[in-house]
Amino acid sequence: MDKKKRDDILDQAMGDYGDELVRLAYTYVKEEHMAKDLAQNAFVKCYNQLEHFRKESELRTWLYRITINECKDYLKSWKCKKVQLVHYIQENAQKYQKSLDQKVVQNSVNQEIKEIVFSLPTKYKEIIYLYYYLSLTIDEISEVTGVNANTVKTRLRRGKKVLKPMMEEAEIYGSH
């Protein structure tokens, strides 16, 4: 088969089946750029092997078979595994970095809250610390401090009242 005839057949096939082969390849590799590359590889193989095409099937089905084989070969290749590994690492590194950034911000906010709480008068600081940081109940705080439970409730309420404007000033209150 002469070069002109092969060129004409390939041009016709690319126009007729190009988009179909890209979509077919995409169903295997799930990446548009790679699907286009694989479809292009299929056309190159078709062009190189066109003289061996026995016409036992349509050119279209032969191109489908070549494309599917290209996709399967790619999916088994080290290149594919390497690309998948790189994507996996990049995704997880971004998630880890966001998580790390959030933790740093949260730790900074927590430190700022602690500093504000510790700047309160002792009678409020003690109650707020035991209630919020150590998660003790009113009765447990009463027992630990030797202060009446109703006094603990009052100090907790007043401590929160003193704390609120301090946290608003530090722009912390709205984020919790």
Side-chain angles (χ1 to χ4, degrees):
M1 178 181 305
D2 70 353
K3 182 178 178 342
K4 171 80 172 112
K5 184 168 174 133
R6 281 190 2 215
D7 289 350
D8 290 343
I9 291 172
L10 184 66
D11 284 343
Q12 182 70 37
M14 289 174 71
D16 291 347
Y17 312 122
D19 291 339
E20 290 177 38
L21 294 185
V22 170
R23 283 192 298 271
L24 175 64
Y26 185 83
T27 63
Y28 282 87
V29 297
K30 307 289 188 254
E31 186 182 307
E32 185 178 355
H33 177 72
M34 185 50 63
K36 288 178 180 178
D37 286 351
L38 291 168
Q40 184 177 11
N41 290 350
F43 281 120
V44 169
K45 280 193 176 180
C46 170
Y47 182 81
N48 291 335
Q49 298 297 318
L50 204 51
E51 57 205 31
H52 300 294
F53 177 55
R54 296 186 304 254
K55 297 185 175 124
E56 292 173 2
S57 63
E58 291 183 41
L59 181 62
R60 177 182 181 204
T61 55
W62 188 50
L63 282 167
Y64 275 29
R65 176 57 32 213
I66 294 171
T67 303
I68 289 169
N69 288 338
E70 282 291 306
C71 292
K72 287 180 177 179
D73 289 347
Y74 171 74
L75 291 172
K76 288 188 264 183
S77 73
W78 168 242
K79 180 181 178 184
C80 175
K81 289 176 175 55
K82 183 178 166 185
V83 166
Q84 289 173 343
L85 180 62
V86 167
H87 287 315
Y88 175 79
I89 289 170
Q90 287 172 341
E91 273 182 24
N92 286 315
Q94 288 172 352
K95 289 177 188 173
Y96 177 75
Q97 185 61 43
K98 287 178 185 175
S99 174
L100 185 60
D101 291 346
Q102 289 169 344
K103 285 180 181 176
V104 167
V105 168
Q106 188 60 47
N107 286 344
S108 174
V109 169
N110 289 346
Q111 184 59 37
E112 195 170 352
I113 291 170
K114 281 181 187 176
E115 288 173 10
I116 292 170
V117 168
F118 289 143
S119 72
L120 292 173
T122 304
K123 63 182 180 180
Y124 300 140
K125 166 177 48 182
E126 177 181 57
I127 303 298
I128 287 177
Y129 181 79
L130 293 171
Y131 187 78
Y132 287 105
Y133 288 90
L134 298 182
S135 302
L136 298 181
T137 66
I138 300 292
D139 291 334
E140 290 170 330
I141 295 170
S142 175
E143 188 178 318
V144 168
T145 60
V147 175
N148 180 302
N150 286 332
T151 305
V152 170
K153 287 180 193 177
T154 302
R155 287 182 183 175
L156 184 59
R157 188 178 65 250
R158 288 181 183 165
K160 288 185 339 189
K161 191 175 181 180
V162 171
L163 195 57
K164 184 178 178 182
M166 295 169 75
M167 290 180 66
E168 285 172 346
E169 183 179 318
E171 297 181 359
I172 295 174
Y173 193 79
S175 65
H176 286 322

